[in-house]
Amino acid sequence: MKKLLSIAFAAALTVGVASAQEFKPAERDYFIAKNVTESIVKSLTEKLALTKPQQDSIAKHVLISAKQETDILEAQGVAIKTKREQQEANLKARTAKVKTFLTKEQLDKWAKISKEEEEEGN
């Protein structure tokens, strides 16, 4: 039963995340949690013939769990963004340090190469 709930929760969360990309963060989190809850309750009702009181009880607890899961995912997203910002700052500092060792001609060539790479990337 726990495995069935876990699979249903993971599938519903994946679908909810994919379809909630266009909402503001607070709306998205509510939308995801609500969709996850509805999907799990519907799936369990179909498979286990849940009664209305069972559906309500399960929905209440799944909604709480889904909200907690979106909070965890949000915190991970913030951590990833922070790490990315730190990496970019480190790269800028390293580049600045390397440039201090280059001659004027090398710096001009570096700038030209960087510009070409940037244009190719866009």
Side-chain angles (χ1 to χ4, degrees):
M1 183 68 176
K2 287 183 180 180
K3 192 172 188 175
L4 178 64
L5 271 173
S6 297
I7 292 170
F9 182 74
L13 184 60
T14 302
V15 170
V17 169
S19 61
Q21 296 288 329
E22 61 207 43
F23 293 96
K24 294 178 185 170
E27 293 173 340
R28 183 187 68 233
D29 291 348
Y30 175 76
F31 180 77
I32 291 169
K34 188 173 181 197
N35 276 352
V36 167
T37 301
E38 290 172 359
S39 296
I40 291 173
V41 171
K42 180 180 178 185
S43 175
L44 291 175
T45 299
E46 290 171 358
K47 294 175 183 174
L48 304 174
L50 299 177
T51 64
K52 182 66 175 152
Q54 288 174 315
Q55 291 174 20
D56 294 341
S57 296
I58 291 171
K60 177 183 172 186
H61 292 287
V62 170
L63 183 61
I64 291 167
S65 175
K67 285 180 182 177
Q68 290 172 342
E69 185 67 23
T70 57
D71 290 345
I72 291 168
L73 292 173
E74 181 73 21
Q76 289 174 343
V78 169
I80 290 169
K81 182 180 177 185
T82 301
K83 184 177 180 179
R84 189 178 310 119
E85 290 169 351
Q86 290 171 340
Q87 288 172 329
E88 289 173 6
N90 185 40
L91 178 61
K92 286 180 182 179
R94 182 178 65 211
T95 301
K97 185 66 174 175
V98 168
K99 285 182 176 183
T100 64
F101 299 105
L102 302 179
T103 65
K104 169 77 169 114
E105 292 80 23
Q106 290 170 325
L107 285 171
D108 292 342
K109 191 172 183 178
W110 177 309
K112 183 179 177 184
I113 292 169
S114 295
K115 184 178 179 182
E116 289 172 0
E117 287 176 352
E118 186 177 306
E119 289 173 357
E120 286 177 13
N122 292 332

